[in-house]
Amino acid sequence: MPPKFDPSDPAVVQLITLFDSLGLSPSKSLETAKSSKNAAQLKELIIAHGLEGKNLEEKKALLVAALAAQGTYLGSEAKAYVIDKVLEGKLERGDQLTAAVKYLAQHQLTATMNYLEPHRGAINEAEFDAECGVGVVVTPDQAEQLVLLYLAENASAIEGWQSFSATLMKLKATPELRWAATLDVKNATEAAFLNKFGPKVSVNPKDMRKAAASKTATPGNVTPTASDSSSGIVALSSEKTVFEEGFLGRLHKPGGNPQLNGALREKHLKTTGGQVWTRFPPEPNGYLHIGHSKAIFVNFGYAAHFGGKCYLRYDDTNPEAEEQQYFDYILEMVRWLGYEPWKITYSSDYFQRLYDLAVDLTRRDKAYVCHCSAEKIFADRGGEERGPRKACEHRNRPIAESLAEFEGMRDGKYKPGEAILRMKMDLEDGNPTMWDTIAYRVLNAPHHRTGTTWRIYPTYDFTHCLCDSFENISHSLCTTEFILSRQSYEWLCDALEVYKPKQSEYGRLNIQGTVMSKRKILKLVKEGHVSGWDDPRLYTLIALRRRGIPPGAIISFVSGLGVSTSPSNIQTVRFEQAIRQYLENSAPRLMMVLKPLKVTLENVPEDYVLMIEKPLHQKVPELGTSSVPFTRTLYIDAEDFRLEDSKDYFRLAPGKTVGLFQAPAPVTCTRYSIDPVTGEVAELFCTLGESNSTSNKPKTFIQWVADHPASGSPIRVDETRIFHQLFKSDDPAATEDFIADVNPNSLEVVEGAFIEVGFWPLAKKAIGDARKDSEARLKAAATSGSEPAKEASPVGALHDAHNQPVASVEQLVGNECVRFQGLRVGYFAVDKDAQLGCLTEGDAPKPGSRPGDVVILNRIVTLKEDSAKKAS
Ligand SMILES: *[C@@H]1O[C@H](CO)[C@@H](O)[C@H](O)[C@H]1NC(C)=O
Ligand SMILES: *[C@@H]1O[C@H](CO)[C@@H](O)[C@H](O)[C@H]1NC(C)=O
Ligand SMILES: *[C@@H]1O[C@H](CO)[C@@H](O)[C@H](O)[C@H]1NC(C)=O
Ligand SMILES: *[C@@H]1O[C@H](CO)[C@@H](O)[C@H](O)[C@H]1NC(C)=O
């Protein structure tokens, strides 16, 4: 047994005092003293190199202690050399010290063997510094860039999370990242993997459940305080923090973005008045989906929060993929989510200006016309199999020749693929976006706005930054997929000496449990798995709208997630939970029975009618009341009756009593009849109990709808569409064959549900309110100088004279505005296929059913998460 350590032993006290005097903390001194070997080595080092009483910074003292432990085989000179480097602050971290010891150990060998020629062992400082990373600083941003670059280059070798550790080790072994902080590299790699492969899937189902539970428990997902103003624009208590903290909180102040010269900044600030100017720049080649709601929220929301302006800019530089309908839907969805663009612009507005700048760039010898094939360009990029990167033979052709050829491209001299304009960037750079990216290409396609004026079209890389510059954008916000493009963005602005906006990248929003890629949704539509792009089971914005999800709920959800540089991967169930919370205190409540079961109250006279005025929401009196008849014949939900009673069952069964919401008294089931054909319970016979009797207070209340043709009760619902998860697995996007993962029972249609007559006035009011809000918004936008409003033609017009989409009242008014909670059933909205005559007749006529009406409801979400799970 080793001798017992006694900290009061005078010899130990002496050691601790000595280590203290070097600068170690008392606890580290004590710990070192405890190990007799380490203590002896450190003591020797301190004495030999005169470090006693130096009281170094703790960081340096720790490095000295590490040297004592690791460098036992080094000679005294070598140790002195390392100590000097530590004291000078050149060796700063443990990994550098380890590298130093290793390097010197190797070289010292030579020195000892050749002691007669000491110069042979002399340390080469430059080499030492290089080996130990002296003076190398890798910022977290640089580390992130390098990681993304490495992953992009080596994507094919990385299969998924199983490659994570190996990738991390390889990354740390690259010369560029060797001296980056390990945590920075790890974080960046984790974020990139998350982005690419989604969350790491645990193999242990127990862990998965735990993870799921902790996810839903995360505070701040959604702000339950968000109150629904019917306009869909919602004041959120979390908005302030979202825009002023985290990623958005760290953004520069307007004008704080670096410029080539101060004059550019001054001119910019003069134009913007120092305001935040942002833009939402979708490509008009598809439908927006839930992920875009984050881009809309970030760009429009950030500008609005700081009293700035946000453009809607259609990035229409690819005429082959564009369709008019996409332009219309994009504007409609932006407005539906509650935002008005300050101006609507098009990249194509700037085609002439972009062309002129391309000429200018060529004149500056920073662009050239290249005739290489795509294969040749790819081969010239180099790589493991293709060898070193090469410039093509056109790169150094005379400027005049490029200018002439570019004109030729414009004038139709070349067919697509025969000539391109490339930026002359930096082939030596590690970033592939700097390898002479294409600026212009020839396309034989007419453009929907410029017609056949142009045969050449600018690329995203050439267009995007320059349009941002033209529009004096203060913050160019985009998702992290564009992080590598930032370098070419800045290069081009500087090359042309124009105002340079700053691009900043945030993590995108991914919803799991569904697919969002255009190609996949198209396949679902084409093969008939869904009814169209707006099928309520999809997560396109038009689908979510049709399903009845309030726009304010989406904004509240996105805002609650916050904005950071890492992507948000959210399961559909969590999204639904947020919607549910939002609807809880905003949706009026109606009585609805999904599967009606007839009840006759035998002790109530045939002609008995009691009109009951009941609140639409017990806790939110502002939502008003509805008036429903109570008569001898009622319908309850078939699920609220059972033949077998049990102790923990409190609804209706033979001989049992249950309360009816808002009814004058509870009812007791006395007998029932059976349908001779189906063998199922056909009708219940009950007695209405004593009014005001306190002795028999029911434990449970159920919903009901009375039969009273005179007041139109009940309303028969032709179709109630109930949506379950469209996919069987939690992550269809990750499955090999997502079509095989389609849940064949994701749509359930219930025919013949009943709802109370309160539905009519509620529907009429909801549509009326939506119309009023929409008109008010258009008016407000007009007075604040919003471009679309100025152009707005009479109500209902979606295009102006030039076939451009404009804002209209109708855009924001649709059947889905009629939302309610079917008490104890779920949240519902009216489907666009429904026909409710009274909603389109204007203000005067009475709400109610009309001949030819078709009532179709969509279930927005269930009342509780559990029932959603059970149902699927
Ligand atoms: C890709 O991986 C190889 C081998 O690990 C490495 O040498 C190369 O630098 C990587 N690419 C990048 C861009 O880092
Ligand atoms: C790395 O990520 C963790 C958790 O996401 C975070 O707490 C930590 O601050 C990050 N570290 C760095 C250096 O970015
Ligand atoms: C952008 O700012 C410049 C001055 O820097 C100004 O000339 C130009 O009109 C502005 N453009 C827009 C679209 O605001
Ligand atoms: C029952 O109570 C209500 C008010 O709580 C009262 O108006 C009504 O007269 C009472 N009816 C009977 C039968 O006592």
Side-chain angles (χ1 to χ4, degrees):
M1 272 203 39
K4 203 165 177 297
F5 178 75
D6 177 5
S8 63
D9 180 329
V12 172
V13 172
Q14 217 184 0
L15 275 176
I16 294 178
T17 316
L18 177 67
F19 299 162
D20 267 353
S21 83
L22 171 69
L24 289 180
S25 68
S27 62
K28 180 70 186 174
S29 296
L30 180 66
E31 188 197 312
T32 312
K34 271 186 189 170
S35 149
S36 53
K37 191 172 140 226
N38 287 350
Q41 287 162 351
L42 184 56
K43 180 179 168 187
E44 192 197 306
L45 192 72
I46 293 175
I47 307 282
H49 296 273
L51 295 170
E52 186 177 3
K54 283 275 184 197
N55 270 314
L56 303 177
E57 283 167 51
E58 193 183 1
K59 218 173 75 179
K60 291 182 176 172
L62 282 169
L63 290 171
V64 171
L67 174 64
Q70 295 175 20
T72 39
Y73 301 108
L74 293 184
S76 176
E77 268 177 53
K79 283 183 188 167
Y81 189 84
V82 175
I83 290 172
D84 283 348
K85 286 273 179 187
V86 168
L87 298 188
E88 288 164 21
K90 294 199 163 144
L91 293 175
E92 290 185 291
R93 294 185 313 268
D95 55 349
Q96 289 181 309
L97 186 102
T98 306
V101 170
K102 193 174 152 201
Y103 175 81
L104 291 176
Q106 283 165 357
H107 288 252
Q108 194 185 18
L109 212 57
T110 341
T112 344
M113 287 198 314
N114 298 283
Y115 62 92
L116 289 175
E117 298 168 277
H119 63 275
R120 291 192 64 178
I123 298 160
N124 174 335
E125 180 160 16
E127 194 175 302
F128 175 90
D129 285 356
E131 279 296 309
C132 306
V134 171
V136 179
V137 181
V138 184
T139 65
D141 271 357
Q142 286 166 333
E144 188 182 8
Q145 288 250 13
L146 287 165
V147 166
L148 289 172
L149 197 58
Y150 176 95
L151 296 178
E153 277 262 288
N154 289 298
S156 59
I158 300 166
E159 282 143 21
W161 279 101
Q162 67 267 31
S163 318
F164 183 74
S165 308
T167 306
L168 198 57
M169 275 174 58
K170 283 190 196 147
L171 274 165
K172 273 300 286 177
T174 60
E176 296 84 4
L177 284 169
R178 184 163 169 216
W179 303 113
T182 307
L183 201 58
D184 289 344
V185 178
K186 181 157 180 272
N187 273 14
T189 312
E190 252 166 14
F193 269 60
L194 206 59
N195 206 359
K196 184 149 184 216
F197 305 114
K200 196 169 174 174
V201 180
S202 163
V203 238
N204 182 346
K206 230 196 213 159
D207 289 351
M208 277 172 77
R209 244 173 282 132
K210 242 193 265 160
S214 70
K215 251 192 206 161
T216 41
T218 315
N221 289 352
V222 176
T223 344
T225 52
S227 68
D228 190 8
S229 84
S230 43
S231 68
I233 307 173
V234 174
L236 290 166
S237 64
S238 75
E239 271 196 2
K240 185 169 156 60
T241 50
V242 148
F243 295 123
E244 294 179 15
E245 286 179 10
F247 169 82
L248 294 173
R250 286 193 301 272
L251 295 178
H252 62 277
K253 291 218 162 56
N257 38 323
Q259 299 301 330
L260 214 51
N261 61 59
L264 291 171
R265 173 177 301 109
E266 272 161 40
K267 259 172 73 188
H268 165 74
L269 287 176
K270 213 168 144 215
T271 304
T272 63
Q275 282 181 338
V276 168
W277 284 18
T278 58
R279 81 289 169 273
F280 171 57
E283 276 184 67
N285 64 359
Y287 294 100
L288 302 181
H289 57 64
I290 179 83
H292 292 110
S293 64
K294 185 167 180 180
I296 293 173
F297 169 75
V298 166
N299 281 297
F300 282 95
Y302 186 73
H305 183 76
F306 291 104
K309 308 192 146 128
C310 183
Y311 285 89
L312 167 59
R313 185 201 309 145
Y314 294 106
D315 190 19
D316 58 349
T317 56
N318 186 7
E320 286 160 334
E322 291 155 14
E323 279 178 42
Q324 184 61 44
Q325 58 159 339
Y326 298 136
F327 287 85
D328 303 336
Y329 276 122
I330 287 168
L331 174 62
E332 187 168 322
M333 286 302 117
V334 166
R335 300 196 66 234
W336 178 64
L337 284 174
Y339 301 106
E340 297 294 345
W342 176 51
K343 282 184 180 166
I344 300 177
T345 57
Y346 300 77
S347 294
S348 57
D349 292 343
Y350 307 108
F351 276 173
Q352 185 60 47
R353 210 164 154 191
L354 289 166
Y355 175 82
D356 293 343
L357 283 179
V359 171
D360 186 9
L361 193 68
T362 312
R363 278 212 186 97
R364 291 166 186 252
D365 197 17
K366 286 185 170 154
Y368 59 98
V369 172
C370 167
H371 304 279
C372 294
S373 65
E375 294 75 28
K376 171 81 167 43
I377 291 174
F378 181 73
D380 281 351
R381 287 166 77 97
E384 225 160 279
E385 286 146 29
R386 288 163 273 131
R389 204 170 303 135
K390 290 193 289 279
C392 79
E393 74 246 41
H394 311 108
R395 192 173 206 258
N396 288 318
R397 74 197 304 177
I399 292 174
E401 203 176 299
S402 277
L403 285 171
E405 292 292 7
F406 189 44
E407 236 170 68
M409 281 170 67
R410 182 196 62 187
D411 297 340
K413 179 173 168 195
Y414 294 107
K415 289 208 270 300
E418 290 179 351
I420 50 177
L421 184 75
R422 292 177 76 178
M423 296 181 256
K424 200 185 266 192
M425 301 167 106
D426 183 0
L427 297 176
E428 297 308 312
D429 199 287
N431 184 338
T433 65
M434 293 298 288
W435 301 345
D436 291 5
T437 299
I438 300 175
Y440 263 88
R441 71 267 199 234
V442 179
L443 286 178
N444 260 343
H447 189 275
H448 80 108
R449 295 186 79 233
T450 59
T452 52
T453 308
W454 295 94
R455 295 189 181 90
I456 55 171
Y457 293 93
T459 58
Y460 170 88
D461 292 288
F462 188 77
T463 309
H464 187 73
C465 56
L466 293 179
C467 288
D468 277 357
S469 177
F470 299 158
E471 293 181 350
N472 295 305
I473 299 303
S474 63
H475 297 80
S476 178
L477 307 173
C478 60
T479 52
T480 48
E481 290 92 301
F482 293 97
I483 203 162
L484 292 180
S485 301
R486 192 202 305 159
Q487 197 176 342
S488 76
Y489 182 113
E490 294 179 351
W491 179 90
L492 184 53
C493 290
D494 284 345
L496 289 166
E497 295 175 71
V498 297
Y499 164 71
K500 179 172 59 181
K502 176 153 166 60
Q503 173 180 309
S504 306
E505 308 87 6
Y506 58 87
R508 61 188 284 169
L509 166 63
N510 300 316
I511 298 278
Q512 279 166 330
T514 185
V515 297
M516 292 203 285
S517 98
K518 229 164 44 178
R519 187 178 53 79
K520 287 181 176 168
I521 297 182
L522 185 65
K523 195 165 159 77
L524 289 170
V525 173
K526 278 207 168 139
E527 295 184 7
H529 301 285
V530 294
S531 61
W533 288 82
D534 66 349
D535 186 299
R537 287 166 291 180
L538 295 175
Y539 280 76
T540 54
L541 290 177
I542 46 173
L544 294 173
R545 178 178 184 177
R546 178 173 178 188
R547 180 166 143 193
I549 293 188
I554 294 179
I555 293 302
S556 157
F557 166 71
V558 174
S559 157
L561 291 173
V563 180
S564 72
T565 52
S566 28
S568 307
N569 293 291
I570 308 296
Q571 280 291 343
T572 48
V573 288
R574 195 167 149 209
F575 172 72
E576 289 185 347
Q577 179 57 19
I579 304 308
R580 202 173 279 128
Q581 283 184 18
Y582 185 90
L583 287 166
E584 161 117 36
N585 288 319
S586 60
R589 300 178 177 184
L590 298 178
M591 293 207 283
M592 168 175 192
V593 294
L594 214 47
K595 298 190 175 114
L597 175 61
K598 188 175 177 192
V599 175
T600 301
L601 302 177
E602 294 188 284
N603 61 342
V604 167
E606 296 270 359
D607 59 354
Y608 178 82
V609 187
L610 173 66
M611 290 307 288
I612 298 174
E613 185 87 2
K614 60 175 203 36
L616 285 170
H617 195 306
Q618 294 278 11
K619 292 188 207 134
V620 190
E622 304 88 282
L623 287 174
T625 61
S626 73
S627 180
V628 296
F630 179 81
T631 63
R632 176 182 160 93
T633 307
L634 313 173
Y635 297 92
I636 65 166
D637 206 293
E639 297 214 335
D640 286 331
F641 175 79
R642 267 193 212 172
L643 286 172
E644 315 79 33
D645 193 8
S646 70
K647 259 204 201 128
D648 54 357
Y649 176 74
F650 301 112
R651 285 166 289 154
L652 217 47
K656 233 177 151 122
T657 301
V658 77
L660 299 176
F661 279 123
Q662 309 289 336
V667 296
T668 305
C669 179
T670 50
R671 63 194 178 92
Y672 59 91
S673 70
I674 297 280
D675 183 316
V677 181
T678 63
E680 283 177 14
V681 175
E683 185 175 355
L684 305 183
F685 299 90
C686 298
T687 52
L688 185 65
E690 287 284 306
S691 287
N692 302 356
S693 110
T694 45
S695 60
N696 194 15
K697 192 147 193 298
K699 276 211 163 61
T700 293
F701 288 83
I702 61 173
Q703 78 277 20
W704 52 276
V705 181
D707 187 53
H708 188 242
S711 56
S713 180
I715 300 169
R716 184 178 184 280
V717 181
D718 295 278
E719 281 187 25
T720 305
R721 297 178 183 167
I722 294 180
F723 309 107
H724 302 295
Q725 299 287 331
L726 182 55
F727 296 96
K728 291 179 277 191
S729 79
D730 278 348
D731 195 4
T735 59
E736 234 169 71
D737 178 3
F738 76 100
I739 292 288
D741 194 31
V742 169
N743 169 12
N745 304 314
S746 61
L747 172 64
E748 189 187 327
V749 178
V750 177
E751 290 178 14
F754 287 160
I755 44 174
E756 61 160 90
V757 287
F759 170 77
W760 292 121
L762 182 138
K764 189 116 181 106
K765 179 171 185 310
I767 293 290
D769 286 352
R771 180 170 295 278
K772 266 185 237 146
D773 280 338
S774 184
E775 281 164 0
R777 272 190 48 193
L778 212 53
K779 217 164 148 191
T783 53
S784 77
S786 165
E787 202 80 331
K790 266 193 251 157
E791 291 177 11
S793 30
V795 167
L798 204 60
H799 301 99
D800 70 0
H802 309 289
N803 208 30
Q804 306 306 332
V806 295
S808 76
V809 169
E810 289 308 320
Q811 270 168 351
L812 306 183
V813 185
N815 283 351
E816 77 284 347
C817 296
V818 182
R819 302 183 182 94
F820 62 92
Q821 182 197 113
L823 215 57
R824 296 182 66 234
V825 185
Y827 291 101
F828 296 90
V830 175
D831 186 71
K832 71 164 195 192
D833 288 345
Q835 285 170 34
L836 307 177
C838 77
L839 298 189
T840 50
E841 278 170 6
D843 283 341
K846 257 180 90 70
S849 80
R850 305 282 188 275
D853 272 0
V854 183
V855 185
I856 302 175
L857 299 179
N858 293 328
R859 187 173 73 185
I860 306 171
V861 279
T862 52
L863 293 182
K864 291 201 190 83
E865 184 168 347
D866 276 350
S867 46
K869 281 239 172 83
K870 247 190 286 156
S872 58

